[in-house]
Amino acid sequence: MQNPIIVALDVPTADAALQLARQVAPVVGAFKIGNELFTASGPDIVRRIRDTGAAVFLDLKFHDIPNTVAKAVASATRLDVQMLTIHTGGGLEMMRAAEKSAQQTALQSGRNTPLVLGVTVLTSMDGSALSEIGVGTDVGRQVERLAVLAINAGLRGLVCSPLEIAGLRQTLPAQVQLVTPGIRTGADKADDQKRTLSAPEAIKAGANWLVIGRPIYAAENPRAAAEAILKTLM
Ligand code: C5P
């Protein structure tokens, strides 16, 4: 089994990110670089984490016209990231352009093709937030609709909330990779995560990858915290 733990490097500086990455690298599968760290530190932090030998999930959630997203995906692919995110709400054509760009750029630059992950409905949005933006359907149906569209566009993976995993597993082809945040053990605070599962529960439901932030980086001993979570999966 590959190690499914992806640690969210939700820290403000490159130094803090590198220190955390070095500490926990032996017991986790990859690192997620999101908007906070990337906006502060730029592509250099991606290179520095990659230089340690670790896999990188670049979570910048691209959402723009197809040509622009394709170029952003090409840049991310040249940075040699292993996973990246786009918003499925950008539509079929945008998603197709993103996947094609990942594959072509990888071929041209001698990299492996990154897994382009579709983000469906942000978990911060509920039914009334959806209707405010003119989407007159419930959250579950909208997630499923966008997930199916993403797979039709050629994406090979999705980000979903823990409570969406089981339903998507029934709807989508088995090879689709599902990445889920919102992982907490019984002992953790839920923080601002409203819908959570424990790591083994999420894997049992059908997740391939678990994005874990505060339960690891805010722990007194991040390495011990990551190790304890890994043990629950063995
Ligand atoms: O600290 P915590 O474990 O809640 O971190 C979860 C990570 O996953 C954060 O980087 C957060 O931005 C991200 N995420 C999330 N919920 C989503 C999508 C991404 O928590 N629906």
Side-chain angles (χ1 to χ4, degrees):
M1 184 195 86
Q2 65 184 353
N3 185 326
I5 298 174
I6 302 175
V7 178
L9 297 176
D10 293 334
V11 293
T13 66
D15 285 346
L18 279 162
Q19 194 191 354
L20 175 63
R22 288 202 187 96
Q23 230 179 333
V24 302
V27 292
V28 306
F31 294 104
K32 182 170 90 74
I33 295 174
N35 281 309
E36 179 188 12
L37 182 60
F38 191 84
T39 304
S41 306
D44 196 46
I45 186 60
V46 178
R47 295 188 196 100
R48 290 171 76 185
I49 299 284
R50 286 292 295 129
D51 284 347
T52 70
V56 168
F57 168 11
L58 188 62
D59 185 22
L60 302 181
K61 298 188 179 70
F62 299 137
H63 191 170
D64 211 313
I65 58 172
N67 183 55
T68 301
V69 168
K71 288 181 180 173
V73 169
S75 295
T77 303
R78 284 191 289 267
L79 274 176
D80 198 24
V81 302
Q82 281 59 54
M83 296 179 182
L84 62 96
T85 42
I86 64 172
H87 269 287
T88 56
L92 189 71
E93 199 195 328
M94 183 204 99
M95 292 190 274
R96 278 193 184 132
E99 180 62 34
K100 186 171 162 199
S101 171
Q103 294 191 16
Q104 283 185 345
T105 310
L107 206 62
Q108 287 158 5
S109 58
R111 307 284 195 203
N112 289 318
T113 307
L115 183 62
V116 179
L117 298 164
V119 173
T120 59
V121 179
L122 294 172
T123 49
S124 51
M125 298 192 75
D126 58 11
S128 78
L130 276 187
S131 77
E132 275 166 7
I133 60 162
V135 178
T137 183
D138 67 60
V139 174
R141 282 176 65 181
Q142 183 65 2
V143 167
E144 188 179 322
R145 179 189 205 132
L146 290 170
V148 169
L149 192 69
I151 301 312
N152 288 341
L155 298 199
R156 292 160 294 131
L158 294 164
V159 178
C160 63
S161 94
L163 300 192
E164 291 159 3
I165 303 167
L168 290 176
R169 273 287 165 239
Q170 288 183 349
T171 314
L172 303 175
Q175 69 273 17
V176 172
Q177 299 274 306
L178 295 180
V179 179
T180 185
I183 301 300
R184 294 293 184 273
T185 66
D188 290 332
K189 292 190 290 172
D191 300 309
D192 55 355
Q193 297 285 11
K194 293 198 177 72
R195 291 174 287 163
T196 66
L197 286 182
S198 71
E201 284 167 343
I203 294 288
K204 199 165 159 231
N208 302 93
W209 299 92
L210 312 173
V211 174
I212 308 177
R214 286 160 288 184
I216 292 178
Y217 71 72
E220 212 168 293
N221 182 338
R223 165 128 182 192
E227 248 170 338
I229 296 169
L230 185 60
K231 269 202 190 118
T232 66
L233 297 174
M234 291 174 165

